[in-house]
Amino acid sequence: MKQEDRISVIKGIGEKTETGMAKLGIFKVGDLLEHYPRNYDVYGEIKEIEALEEGETAVIEVAVANLPQRKKVRNLQMIQCWVSDYSGRLLVTWFNMPFLQNKIRMGNHYLFRGKVIRKNGMLGMDQPVILSKEEYVNQKDVLQPVYALTAGITNNMVKKAMSIAIKETLLDKDYLPAEIRKECNLIEEKSALRKIHFPNHLEELMEARKRIVFDEFFLFTLALNYLKKQKEQKSSNFKMLSTEACEELMKRLPFSLTEAQRKVWETIRNELQGDSQMNRLVQGDVGSGKTIVAELALLMTAKNGFQGCIMVPTEVLAKQHFQSLSQDLNGFGVRIVLLIGSMTAKEKREVYSCIKNHEADVIVGTHALIQETVEYACLGLVVTDEQHRFGVKQREALFNKGLEPHILVMSATPIPRTLALILYGDLDVSTIDQLPKNRLAIKNCVVATDYREKAYRFIEEQVKAGHQAYVICPMVEESEVMDAENVIEYTEKLQSVMPSYQISFLHGKMKAKEKNQLMEQFSKGEIQVLVATTVVEVGVNVPNATVMMIENAERFGLAQLHQLRGRVGRGGFQSYCIFVNGSQSKESKKRLEVLNSSNDGFVIAKEDLKLRGPGDLFGIRQSGMVEFKMADVYQDAEILLKANEIAKRFTEDEVKLLCKKYEGIRSKLQLYTSDLFL
Ligand code: ADP
Ligand code: MG
């Protein structure tokens, strides 16, 4: 089979599996091969029930003690049964696997492998895999790939399909010539593919990972360097004049800009007035006030008779920006429209026509802004907020919507300057390195789970005082469906503890419309406590919220925790962040201590790297840069530098790419950039 073939060519993949795989973004054999494991584990020894610990994944050998019961909780099918060994008993639960009811027999012995959880004070096991004795014995010490899954797709299904695909796919010759592989100490592409999915031991895995990370960085930096070269010294098609309106807007704000905001704004203003097209990245920690800088730039653009748009990664954020822009720019004669995926076709058509006929000056939206159907009358400025969530491709797509508009990119990801210069190679970088003066430092605490009751009382007090709180729910690794279930259950529990307040939940499985509505209610103060998954991570701004409580904080990356914490402390009120540590391990304690002792994103990123060290393969990904499936900008910084060095050789001397030897690289680059330049 070939990489371009549909996955249905793989034996065992029928229509149903194909649909499921599509949800994971896997359509072709090549997509499957690039569906890298998100982790690995080893089965290890069989454990006694008595010795199980909450949070661990373990194999148990048990007898089924009762007839499996079928239950329905909301729209989830559950199968439950009690199992026991001589040391104790345990409740086992499967979700959405009704067929197990007839498969699991009372009195029979089984090997189960799954995560030990605590429910209503008792230990249990959710969604265990059933292993045959033979499977277990053969695989006991082998590194098992763990894949991202979705409803209807099990890890075993992916494993089976993968093993066939790896054996039977005809791969092209390695695109990297031996000379580069040798210089960078890289194994062959083909071998990396096998070893990343089915490593025989840790060393193989490390080699494979290194090669794949290199490829990701190399192609990325190659494309970026190439882009930069094309863009160099473009003259401005949208040369602007300064406008009173911006001064007026600043006067009207209830605060004055920080020194850092003012400086960055001045740079941007000068560039918009200058002769060259602007390409600028504004970095600034969460809460440093990046939005207002974008608003000023958009106002200036509109006042100069051009259109400006701002693209954000989520609908919730788009709505929020739309509202604050509408408020702040009210009375300036600027027409603002919102464009998001969940609008009706009719609503969208109206907005499209406004954009095309220049009846809209500022357009706020999500990816919907780069749909083919959107035509801009005269797009002079493109802003992307929370840029790390977008790829270069999306940025380029938006750029191509106009006649080389000015580009302003905003990001809160704290990336060291040397790396930022590479990753944002086509952009100039400014930093807002100061928080607004009215801010009180967030007070942090790291606590164990038995502190929960106290935390609830504390939240109640804050709510009584008129404030609001977020509770981030424990993550369930297995699936989004179960995450949702978890959030709903947690909300019910919390509601019974705090019956007199409005508590609602928000999770990724909800419809965009529902999410938007809830966030709106929360920002209006109609909801006091919002229980959520990490969907609130990015950009959400409700300054009245003063408590952030994060359950299972040990399961998140530090950078992500920092982003989550950034949802509070956005106004003048004292705010608090409670990290609930659900693990006993010393390491998670140490990691969380970093957050406890600093509120500075850069410091946290640095400390995190130190703690994890370069050998940590399974470190939680930090950057969330969409371009990379495997690479982690922090952890793999050295590989990034090397990849960039090699990439530069090709862009500095373009003739080089024409050599026969580098044919493979040339066609990879073309593939990588084809959607940019078509
Ligand atoms: P971020 O940089 O995380 O995007 P925002 O732009 O959303 O931050 O700003 C966070 C909050 O701080 C907003 O409520 C905003 O109105 C407020 N803010 C921005 N600049 C200042 C300032 N100079 N002084 C006081 N508050 C400010
Ligand atoms: Mg923001």
Side-chain angles (χ1 to χ4, degrees):
M1 60 185 82
K2 293 207 216 71
Q3 277 173 289
E4 301 79 51
D5 291 341
R6 280 175 51 175
I7 53 168
S8 50
V9 301
I10 299 171
K11 203 174 141 243
I13 294 194
E15 217 170 285
K16 224 168 138 195
T17 313
E18 198 174 12
T19 325
M21 292 272 196
K23 274 193 229 137
L24 293 167
I26 302 172
F27 303 94
K28 297 177 184 163
V29 173
D31 301 332
L32 180 69
L33 293 173
E34 277 185 26
H35 191 62
Y36 303 128
R38 6 172 275 162
N39 210 336
Y40 301 82
D41 37 50
V42 275
Y43 290 168
E45 302 297 330
I46 292 173
K47 275 198 113 175
E48 290 167 8
I49 289 182
E50 196 183 46
L52 292 177
E53 278 169 43
E54 185 185 350
E56 73 171 331
T57 300
V59 180
I60 50 176
E61 186 166 19
V62 291
V64 172
N66 67 338
L67 276 177
Q69 302 288 310
R70 187 164 174 165
K71 287 189 186 164
K72 201 164 172 184
V73 178
R74 272 165 236 99
N75 47 6
L76 272 187
Q77 293 271 6
M78 280 181 2
I79 300 285
Q80 278 190 327
C81 62
W82 284 96
V83 301
S84 62
D85 62 13
Y86 72 91
S87 75
R89 43 185 230 143
L90 197 69
L91 187 64
V92 174
T93 311
W94 287 276
F95 298 94
N96 288 334
M97 298 176 91
F99 55 90
L100 283 178
Q101 193 180 16
N102 300 319
K103 214 179 144 191
I104 305 277
R105 296 261 155 81
M106 186 164 88
N108 281 10
H109 282 76
Y110 295 93
L111 281 168
F112 290 149
R113 179 169 192 276
K115 183 168 232 147
V116 181
I117 48 123
R118 189 180 290 280
K119 237 186 217 164
N120 309 324
M122 280 181 315
L123 286 189
M125 193 176 265
D126 272 2
Q127 209 76 346
V129 179
I130 307 167
L131 299 171
S132 70
K133 193 93 194 177
E134 194 192 355
E135 257 175 311
Y136 173 69
V137 172
N138 288 341
Q139 310 261 348
K140 192 167 152 256
D141 299 316
V142 177
L143 285 163
Q144 305 283 342
V146 177
Y147 294 102
L149 303 172
T150 185
I153 303 289
T154 65
N155 203 57
N156 245 337
M157 286 159 81
V158 181
K159 247 164 80 177
K160 268 193 198 140
M162 195 70 76
S163 118
I164 298 176
I166 285 176
K167 270 191 213 114
E168 298 184 9
T169 310
L170 293 170
L171 293 174
D172 298 334
K173 202 172 121 222
D174 199 328
Y175 81 95
L176 273 186
E179 128 220 340
I180 294 181
R181 288 205 306 270
K182 186 147 178 249
E183 179 184 344
C184 305
N185 205 0
L186 300 168
I187 62 171
E188 267 190 82
E189 209 178 6
K190 208 184 225 158
S191 148
L193 207 52
R194 201 266 302 154
K195 289 177 180 173
I196 200 72
H197 290 288
F198 302 108
N200 284 321
H201 41 76
L202 200 61
E203 241 155 87
E204 283 198 350
L205 175 54
M206 308 255 278
E207 290 169 357
R209 191 177 177 284
K210 185 174 176 194
R211 169 67 208 249
I212 291 166
V213 168
F214 182 90
D215 284 355
E216 285 185 343
F217 281 148
F218 177 66
L219 290 170
F220 176 81
T221 50
L222 191 64
L224 208 61
N225 280 312
Y226 187 70
L227 257 174
K228 186 178 174 184
K229 208 160 177 170
Q230 296 224 322
K231 260 194 210 160
E232 248 158 13
Q233 293 167 335
K234 284 250 157 83
S235 59
S236 174
N237 290 327
F238 301 95
K239 196 170 154 140
M240 301 186 194
L241 298 170
S242 72
T243 141
E244 281 292 301
C246 291
E247 303 303 317
E248 184 59 34
L249 171 58
M250 282 188 269
K251 257 191 245 151
R252 275 213 228 157
L253 290 173
F255 48 78
S256 48
L257 294 192
T258 59
E259 202 41 47
Q261 282 170 315
R262 194 179 300 278
K263 254 200 218 140
V264 171
W265 163 237
E266 272 163 21
T267 310
I268 292 170
R269 193 188 56 201
N270 290 339
E271 280 184 319
L272 293 177
Q273 288 172 226
D275 292 323
S276 316
Q277 179 236 346
M278 172 174 82
N279 272 305
R280 183 158 294 277
L281 166 75
V282 173
Q283 266 197 328
D285 209 345
V286 270
S288 60
K290 295 181 288 292
T291 314
I292 187 64
V293 173
E295 285 189 6
L296 285 163
L298 287 166
L299 177 60
M300 179 154 164
T301 305
K303 282 291 161 197
N304 274 274
F306 308 126
Q307 288 175 308
C309 70
I310 173 164
M311 179 160 79
V312 300
T314 66
E315 292 207 355
V316 164
L317 202 51
K319 283 213 124 171
Q320 183 185 294
H321 277 345
F322 176 69
Q323 267 150 13
S324 58
L325 273 161
S326 303
Q327 224 166 49
D328 293 349
L329 302 192
N330 181 22
F332 283 107
V334 175
R335 297 157 301 180
I336 307 168
V337 293
L338 177 70
L339 182 60
I340 51 181
S342 69
M343 292 186 345
T344 63
K346 183 161 170 266
E347 286 169 328
K348 277 185 205 157
R349 270 200 305 276
E350 269 162 32
V351 175
Y352 293 153
S353 113
C354 278
I355 299 174
K356 192 171 170 184
N357 301 325
H358 204 166
E359 284 154 19
D361 306 301
V362 173
I363 304 107
V364 187
T366 52
H367 290 88
L369 296 184
I370 49 178
Q371 299 303 309
E372 274 161 40
T373 26
V374 189
E375 272 178 68
Y376 295 82
C378 57
L379 187 58
L381 171 68
V382 164
V383 183
T384 53
D385 191 12
E386 300 294 348
Q387 129 76 20
H388 56 289
R389 304 270 152 173
F390 295 115
V392 173
K393 288 181 187 175
Q394 284 146 329
R395 203 160 78 213
E396 274 308 294
L398 203 47
F399 178 75
N400 291 334
K401 285 280 184 191
L403 262 175
E404 293 161 2
H406 298 291
I407 304 269
L408 180 60
V409 165
M410 301 199 290
S411 174
T413 339
I415 295 177
R417 201 176 161 79
T418 41
L419 300 187
L421 289 178
I422 298 175
L423 291 166
Y424 301 112
D426 56 336
L427 301 170
D428 302 311
V429 181
S430 340
T431 308
I432 303 185
D433 51 7
Q434 184 181 29
L435 291 180
K437 277 197 212 68
N438 68 345
R439 297 289 161 76
L440 297 165
I442 297 173
K443 290 194 175 156
N444 304 295
C445 60
V446 179
V447 299
T449 46
D450 57 8
Y451 186 83
R452 239 177 236 141
E453 294 306 318
K454 257 195 195 154
Y456 294 158
R457 294 282 89 84
F458 182 72
I459 290 177
E460 219 172 353
E461 268 168 42
Q462 287 287 309
V463 168
K464 245 184 227 155
H467 294 301
Q468 290 161 283
Y470 299 92
V471 179
I472 304 301
C473 237
M475 276 198 298
V476 181
E477 279 171 32
E478 284 74 13
S479 77
E480 242 184 274
V481 183
M482 278 155 71
D483 267 337
E485 181 61 18
N486 221 349
V487 171
I488 298 169
E489 222 170 82
Y490 195 104
T491 308
E492 283 168 4
K493 234 191 299 178
L494 199 60
Q495 187 75 71
S496 67
V497 182
M498 289 182 226
S500 45
Y501 297 109
Q502 184 61 42
I503 305 178
S504 299
F505 59 79
L506 188 71
H507 59 74
K509 279 260 144 184
M510 285 161 64
K511 293 221 172 70
K513 263 220 158 94
E514 282 178 281
K515 281 190 222 162
N516 296 340
Q517 230 166 23
L518 260 159
M519 268 327 288
E520 215 158 292
Q521 281 177 294
F522 187 65
S523 37
K524 279 193 206 142
E526 293 166 11
I527 294 170
Q528 276 87 47
V529 182
L530 189 66
V531 180
T533 55
T534 51
V535 283
V536 295
E537 179 184 338
V538 194
V540 169
N541 186 40
V542 181
N544 189 45
T546 53
V547 189
M548 166 63 72
M549 173 172 173
I550 306 173
E551 290 278 0
N552 282 124
E554 77 281 1
R555 294 205 201 152
F556 297 92
L558 290 191
Q560 199 179 12
L561 289 171
H562 180 62
Q563 281 283 335
L564 282 168
R565 169 169 65 187
R567 297 311 115 220
V568 297
R570 298 176 80 85
F573 314 109
Q574 178 62 55
S575 295
Y576 307 86
C577 187
I578 306 167
F579 300 101
V580 183
N581 182 1
S583 138
Q584 308 289 338
S585 91
K586 268 207 190 112
E587 263 131 71
S588 43
K589 211 164 178 181
K590 235 180 174 174
R591 283 182 57 235
L592 292 176
E593 210 35 58
V594 173
L595 286 164
N596 204 5
S597 54
S598 174
N599 285 324
D600 181 331
F602 280 88
V603 173
I604 289 164
K606 249 201 332 251
E607 285 300 312
D608 191 24
L609 187 63
K610 251 197 256 163
L611 278 181
R612 290 193 292 142
D616 183 3
L617 285 171
F618 316 124
I620 302 158
R621 286 184 39 139
Q622 292 295 306
S623 57
M625 305 258 296
V626 289
E627 248 96 11
F628 310 118
K629 287 199 161 138
M630 174 89 55
D632 178 319
V633 180
Y634 294 89
Q635 186 180 329
D636 303 314
E638 255 171 66
I639 307 179
L640 173 57
L641 293 173
K642 187 74 196 173
N644 185 52
E645 181 199 317
I646 309 269
K648 271 206 154 136
R649 285 184 209 159
F650 289 98
T651 32
E652 269 158 19
D653 173 15
E654 261 174 83
V655 195
K656 203 169 166 174
L657 259 190
L658 298 176
C659 288
K660 178 108 179 80
K661 192 163 54 164
Y662 302 126
E663 193 171 55
I665 295 180
R666 194 170 66 236
S667 60
K668 276 266 182 193
L669 177 65
Q670 264 161 5
L671 215 63
Y672 197 91
T673 52
S674 60
D675 359 39
L676 303 188
F677 301 114
L678 273 181

